[in-house]
Amino acid sequence: NAGVTQTPKFQVLKTGQSMTLQCAQDMNHEYMSWYRQDPGMGLRLIHYSVGAGITDQGEVPNGYNVSRSTTEDFPLRLLSAAPSQTSVYFCASSQGGTNTGELFFGEGSRLTVL
Amino acid sequence: EDQVTQSPEALRLQEGESSSLNCSYTVSGLRGLFWYRQDPGKGPEFLFTLYSAGEEKEKERLKATLTKKESFLHITAPKPEDSATYLCAVSPLSTNAGKSTFGDGTTLTVKP
């Protein structure tokens, strides 16, 4: 079982460039989410999805876009990268609904914006 | 607004020196409180879920407890391999089960 797979693991962008962070899960989980983690800080929720075709904003959504066309995939798009988006990004999934809510995380994507 | 505060930010222990990590929370109806372990350069790994005050869960040298306002992660006779950042999170009843608010974490270092 692969669990949650994120690509790429590392990326360097120039200010203004766009890119997509990929996330796929093979556990048939309803719920998927993106968090960012900055040094010395906890995880902050960017966007989440409770099922295919349904997405919503988290705590820090500005500058990011998401879509969920399948249960398995939940890509995160940076439309015009800014240095403030330098961070480590984690994708996570959960059974969702009224279940217990424990999250399963990917290994992270480390993004540097110059 | 849901809030999670963890203390201390960092904890250094000698091997075998037991201690506790604290997680204080405010949430409008608790679905579950979660503890995760995060190793450097890795994603968080789920440890425990606690649902109601008075509940306890154990795994090897770790024991998690829950009251109505805080949770403790007790580490008994720690070993160097217990060194990691420990994250606490809460999920409220009012949202989808997967939506969690995280604390900033406690970084534990265990010296041999």
Side-chain angles (χ1 to χ4, degrees):
Chain A
N1 237 359
V4 178
T5 303
Q6 291 183 234
T7 57
K9 285 185 166 47
F10 299 95
Q11 183 72 49
V12 179
L13 291 177
K14 293 181 180 178
T15 297
Q17 287 184 318
S18 62
M19 76 156 300
T20 299
L21 300 178
Q22 302 290 346
C23 175
Q25 54 93 7
D26 62 359
M27 297 172 282
N28 201 32
H29 282 170
E30 284 185 356
Y31 181 91
M32 296 186 74
S33 56
W34 279 100
Y35 286 88
R36 61 177 287 173
Q37 187 174 43
D38 299 298
M41 298 181 69
L43 294 155
R44 291 184 291 169
L45 183 63
I46 304 172
H47 285 286
Y48 65 97
S49 168
V50 299
I54 307 169
T55 64
D56 206 347
Q57 296 180 351
E59 180 186 354
V60 287
N62 293 339
Y64 307 95
N65 203 359
V66 292
S67 60
R68 182 108 178 260
S69 56
T70 68
T71 299
E72 295 78 20
D73 300 300
F74 190 45
L76 179 72
R77 297 180 185 85
L78 281 71
L79 307 173
S80 178
S84 60
Q85 294 178 304
T86 294
S87 188
V88 182
Y89 293 85
F90 289 100
C91 179
S93 72
S94 176
Q95 285 187 325
T98 57
N99 291 298
T100 53
E102 53 264 33
L103 291 165
F104 296 83
F105 285 85
E107 293 284 277
S109 297
R110 286 149 185 82
L111 175 67
T112 301
V113 183
L114 302 175
Chain B
E1 183 182 335
D2 306 325
Q3 284 194 317
V4 179
T5 303
Q6 293 187 245
S7 61
E9 288 185 16
L11 182 63
R12 297 171 65 91
L13 299 173
Q14 288 296 126
E15 185 172 2
E17 180 187 2
S18 301
S19 188
S20 297
L21 282 56
N22 178 262
C23 171
S24 298
Y25 67 93
T26 56
V27 64
S28 52
L30 180 69
R31 176 189 305 280
L33 182 141
F34 310 96
W35 282 98
Y36 295 85
R37 170 188 171 129
Q38 185 175 23
D39 292 304
K42 301 288 188 182
E45 179 183 356
F46 169 74
L47 291 173
F48 303 109
T49 308
L50 300 167
Y51 299 102
S52 56
E55 188 175 4
E56 298 183 354
K57 294 271 180 76
E58 284 190 67
K59 180 179 181 180
E60 296 181 0
R61 295 175 293 282
L62 300 177
K63 184 168 82 171
T65 62
L66 182 65
T67 73
K68 288 187 176 180
K69 293 184 177 180
E70 48 190 359
S71 176
F72 293 93
L73 185 64
H74 306 279
I75 304 175
T76 302
K79 297 182 177 181
E81 53 261 42
D82 294 321
S83 297
T85 296
Y86 291 86
L87 298 169
C88 175
V90 295
S91 175
L93 285 167
S94 58
T95 67
N96 186 281
K99 193 176 179 191
S100 290
T101 298
F102 282 80
D104 290 347
T106 293
T107 299
L108 173 66
T109 304
V110 182
K111 295 293 188 183

